[in-house]
Amino acid sequence: MFYLLVIKSIGILPVALAMGSFLFLIFLLSYHTLQKSFREVELCREAYLETSRSKYQIANQIINILREKGDESFSYDKMLSLGSTLMSTQVNIEENMRANTGVQKEIDLLQAVISNTTQLQQNVQIQELVKQLANQETVYLMAYKKYAYNLKYYNNFVSKMPSKLVAQIAGFKKV
Protein backbone atom coordinates (compact mmCIF):
# COMPACT_ATOMS: atom_id res chain seq x y z
CA MET A 1 0.00 0.00 0.00
CA PHE A 2 2.83 2.34 0.89
CA TYR A 3 4.50 1.63 -2.45
CA LEU A 4 1.36 2.56 -4.34
CA LEU A 5 1.20 5.87 -2.49
CA VAL A 6 4.85 6.57 -3.27
CA ILE A 7 4.44 5.71 -6.94
CA LYS A 8 1.26 7.80 -7.24
CA SER A 9 2.78 10.80 -5.47
CA ILE A 10 6.17 10.72 -7.25
CA GLY A 11 5.21 9.20 -10.56
CA ILE A 12 6.17 6.00 -12.32
CA LEU A 13 8.91 7.50 -14.50
CA PRO A 14 11.29 8.58 -11.69
CA VAL A 15 10.80 5.26 -9.85
CA ALA A 16 11.50 3.27 -13.03
CA LEU A 17 14.52 5.47 -13.76
CA ALA A 18 15.91 4.93 -10.24
CA MET A 19 15.38 1.16 -10.45
CA GLY A 20 16.92 1.02 -13.91
CA SER A 21 19.94 3.01 -12.72
CA PHE A 22 20.33 0.67 -9.75
CA LEU A 23 20.24 -2.41 -12.02
CA PHE A 24 22.71 -0.78 -14.40
CA LEU A 25 25.13 -0.14 -11.52
CA ILE A 26 24.84 -3.76 -10.42
CA PHE A 27 25.55 -4.84 -14.00
CA LEU A 28 28.61 -2.58 -14.24
CA LEU A 29 29.98 -3.72 -10.90
CA SER A 30 29.49 -7.39 -11.74
CA TYR A 31 30.99 -6.97 -15.20
CA HIS A 32 34.04 -5.18 -13.83
CA THR A 33 34.54 -7.83 -11.14
CA LEU A 34 34.19 -10.62 -13.71
CA GLN A 35 36.78 -9.01 -15.97
CA LYS A 36 39.20 -8.41 -13.13
CA SER A 37 38.77 -11.93 -11.74
CA PHE A 38 39.24 -13.51 -15.16
CA ARG A 39 42.43 -11.50 -15.75
CA GLU A 40 43.73 -12.52 -12.33
CA VAL A 41 43.02 -16.19 -13.07
CA GLU A 42 44.93 -15.90 -16.35
CA LEU A 43 47.90 -14.19 -14.67
CA CYS A 44 47.99 -16.75 -11.87
CA ARG A 45 47.76 -19.59 -14.40
CA GLU A 46 50.74 -18.21 -16.30
CA ALA A 47 52.74 -17.77 -13.08
CA TYR A 48 51.84 -21.31 -12.03
CA LEU A 49 52.88 -22.77 -15.38
CA GLU A 50 56.09 -20.75 -15.38
CA THR A 51 57.08 -22.03 -11.92
CA SER A 52 56.33 -25.61 -12.97
CA ARG A 53 58.50 -25.12 -16.06
CA SER A 54 61.32 -23.74 -13.92
CA LYS A 55 61.03 -26.71 -11.61
CA TYR A 56 61.25 -29.05 -14.60
CA GLN A 57 64.33 -27.26 -15.93
CA ILE A 58 66.15 -27.72 -12.63
CA ALA A 59 65.20 -31.41 -12.58
CA ASN A 60 66.35 -31.69 -16.18
CA GLN A 61 69.75 -30.29 -15.21
CA ILE A 62 70.05 -32.99 -12.54
CA ILE A 63 69.05 -35.63 -15.09
CA ASN A 64 71.68 -34.40 -17.54
CA ILE A 65 74.37 -34.66 -14.83
CA LEU A 66 73.23 -38.19 -14.03
CA ARG A 67 73.22 -39.07 -17.71
CA GLU A 68 76.79 -37.77 -18.09
CA LYS A 69 77.85 -39.96 -15.18
CA GLY A 70 76.33 -42.98 -16.89
CA ASP A 71 73.61 -43.57 -14.28
CA GLU A 72 70.91 -45.75 -15.85
CA SER A 73 68.69 -46.09 -12.77
CA PHE A 74 66.29 -43.38 -13.90
CA SER A 75 63.89 -43.29 -16.86
CA TYR A 76 65.00 -40.27 -18.85
CA ASP A 77 62.63 -40.75 -21.76
CA LYS A 78 59.49 -40.42 -19.69
CA MET A 79 60.75 -37.25 -18.03
CA LEU A 80 61.68 -35.74 -21.39
CA SER A 81 58.29 -36.62 -22.86
CA LEU A 82 56.45 -35.05 -19.92
CA GLY A 83 58.74 -32.05 -20.09
CA SER A 84 58.03 -31.44 -23.74
CA THR A 85 54.31 -31.36 -22.96
CA LEU A 86 54.90 -29.08 -20.00
CA MET A 87 57.11 -26.69 -21.95
CA SER A 88 54.73 -26.47 -24.91
CA THR A 89 52.65 -23.34 -25.25
CA GLN A 90 50.25 -25.02 -27.69
CA VAL A 91 48.88 -27.52 -25.15
CA ASN A 92 45.76 -26.69 -23.14
CA ILE A 93 45.81 -26.25 -19.36
CA GLU A 94 44.43 -29.73 -18.62
CA GLU A 95 47.28 -31.40 -20.50
CA ASN A 96 49.78 -29.12 -18.77
CA MET A 97 48.33 -30.09 -15.39
CA ARG A 98 48.53 -33.78 -16.25
CA ALA A 99 52.12 -33.40 -17.43
CA ASN A 100 52.95 -31.40 -14.31
CA THR A 101 51.61 -34.20 -12.10
CA GLY A 102 53.69 -36.73 -14.01
CA VAL A 103 56.78 -34.54 -13.76
CA GLN A 104 56.25 -34.23 -10.01
CA LYS A 105 56.14 -38.01 -9.67
CA GLU A 106 59.35 -38.30 -11.66
CA ILE A 107 60.99 -35.59 -9.53
CA ASP A 108 59.99 -37.48 -6.39
CA LEU A 109 61.57 -40.62 -7.86
CA LEU A 110 64.67 -38.64 -8.83
CA GLN A 111 65.00 -37.27 -5.30
CA ALA A 112 64.67 -40.79 -3.90
CA VAL A 113 67.44 -42.01 -6.22
CA ILE A 114 69.68 -39.14 -5.10
CA SER A 115 68.99 -39.64 -1.40
CA ASN A 116 69.71 -43.39 -1.63
CA THR A 117 72.98 -43.08 -3.55
CA THR A 118 75.97 -41.98 -1.50
CA GLN A 119 77.97 -40.93 -4.55
CA LEU A 120 75.16 -38.53 -5.58
CA GLN A 121 74.77 -37.23 -2.03
CA GLN A 122 78.43 -36.22 -2.05
CA ASN A 123 78.27 -34.47 -5.40
CA VAL A 124 78.25 -30.72 -4.67
CA GLN A 125 76.71 -29.74 -8.00
CA ILE A 126 73.78 -32.14 -7.58
CA GLN A 127 73.21 -31.06 -3.98
CA GLU A 128 73.10 -27.42 -5.08
CA LEU A 129 70.52 -28.29 -7.73
CA VAL A 130 68.50 -30.25 -5.16
CA LYS A 131 68.42 -27.13 -2.94
CA GLN A 132 67.31 -25.04 -5.91
CA LEU A 133 64.64 -27.63 -6.62
CA ALA A 134 63.39 -27.45 -3.03
CA ASN A 135 63.24 -23.64 -3.21
CA GLN A 136 61.43 -23.81 -6.53
CA GLU A 137 58.98 -26.30 -5.02
CA THR A 138 58.04 -23.71 -2.38
CA VAL A 139 57.51 -21.05 -5.04
CA TYR A 140 55.52 -23.57 -7.10
CA LEU A 141 53.22 -24.43 -4.19
CA MET A 142 52.54 -20.77 -3.49
CA ALA A 143 51.75 -20.14 -7.17
CA TYR A 144 49.45 -23.17 -7.26
CA LYS A 145 47.56 -22.06 -4.14
CA LYS A 146 47.12 -18.57 -5.55
CA TYR A 147 45.88 -19.97 -8.86
CA ALA A 148 43.49 -22.38 -7.14
CA TYR A 149 42.11 -19.63 -4.89
CA ASN A 150 41.54 -17.21 -7.78
CA LEU A 151 40.00 -19.93 -9.91
CA LYS A 152 37.58 -20.89 -7.13
CA TYR A 153 36.66 -17.23 -6.55
CA TYR A 154 36.02 -16.65 -10.24
CA ASN A 155 33.95 -19.82 -10.67
CA ASN A 156 31.88 -19.00 -7.58
CA PHE A 157 31.30 -15.47 -8.82
CA VAL A 158 30.21 -16.70 -12.25
CA SER A 159 27.74 -19.16 -10.74
CA LYS A 160 25.94 -16.84 -8.27
CA MET A 161 23.23 -14.30 -8.94
CA PRO A 162 23.20 -11.49 -10.12
CA SER A 163 26.65 -11.93 -11.63
CA LYS A 164 25.48 -15.17 -13.22
CA LEU A 165 23.16 -13.20 -15.51
CA VAL A 166 25.90 -10.69 -16.29
CA ALA A 167 28.31 -13.54 -17.05
CA GLN A 168 25.82 -15.13 -19.45
CA ILE A 169 25.20 -11.80 -21.19
CA ALA A 170 28.90 -10.92 -21.40
CA GLY A 171 30.04 -14.42 -22.37
CA PHE A 172 31.99 -15.36 -19.24
CA LYS A 173 31.99 -19.06 -18.40
CA LYS A 174 33.33 -21.25 -15.63
CA VAL A 175 36.94 -22.25 -16.08
Side-chain angles (χ1 to χ4, degrees):
M1 181 97 164
F2 177 71
Y3 296 114
L4 292 175
L5 291 175
V6 170
I7 291 175
K8 283 185 179 181
S9 65
I10 296 176
I12 192 83
L13 186 61
V15 171
L17 186 62
M19 289 179 68
S21 298
F22 179 70
L23 292 174
F24 182 69
L25 286 175
I26 289 175
F27 177 83
L28 282 180
L29 182 63
S30 294
Y31 182 75
H32 174 71
T33 305
L34 282 167
Q35 271 188 327
K36 185 178 176 185
S37 296
F38 187 75
R39 271 185 270 135
E40 189 66 26
V41 166
E42 291 296 316
L43 289 174
C44 289
R45 179 188 330 207
E46 286 304 314
Y48 166 66
L49 290 176
E50 190 58 38
T51 57
S52 65
R53 289 176 183 138
S54 297
K55 189 172 70 169
Y56 167 75
Q57 288 174 341
I58 295 169
N60 198 29
Q61 289 175 356
I62 295 172
I63 288 171
N64 288 335
I65 292 171
L66 292 177
R67 187 182 270 171
E68 288 172 4
K69 293 185 178 286
D71 188 355
E72 298 297 327
S73 62
F74 189 73
S75 63
Y76 304 110
D77 296 336
K78 184 174 181 183
M79 185 71 156
L80 292 175
S81 173
L82 290 169
S84 65
T85 303
L86 187 63
M87 298 302 271
S88 174
T89 57
Q90 305 299 324
V91 178
N92 62 15
I93 186 69
E94 290 83 15
E95 289 297 319
N96 270 329
M97 294 284 218
R98 236 178 266 128
N100 196 21
T101 303
V103 165
Q104 184 59 47
K105 289 178 184 177
E106 294 298 314
I107 287 174
D108 292 341
L109 180 64
L110 179 63
Q111 288 175 334
V113 167
I114 291 170
S115 66
N116 290 329
T117 308
T118 56
Q119 181 186 9
L120 297 177
Q121 288 176 351
Q122 295 171 351
N123 188 323
V124 176
Q125 188 179 13
I126 289 179
Q127 289 306 315
E128 182 62 35
L129 288 171
V130 167
K131 287 179 187 175
Q132 287 179 10
L133 191 61
N135 291 339
Q136 190 63 31
E137 182 71 24
T138 304
V139 173
Y140 166 79
L141 288 174
M142 289 180 3
Y144 174 74
K145 286 178 183 179
K146 187 174 180 182
Y147 170 67
Y149 172 80
N150 284 308
L151 184 65
K152 184 177 179 182
Y153 177 82
Y154 171 77
N155 284 336
N156 283 340
F157 197 75
V158 167
S159 64
K160 292 185 180 177
M161 295 297 273
S163 57
K164 183 177 183 177
L165 293 174
V166 175
Q168 288 175 348
I169 292 170
F172 289 99
K173 295 181 171 115
K174 279 187 169 185
V175 179

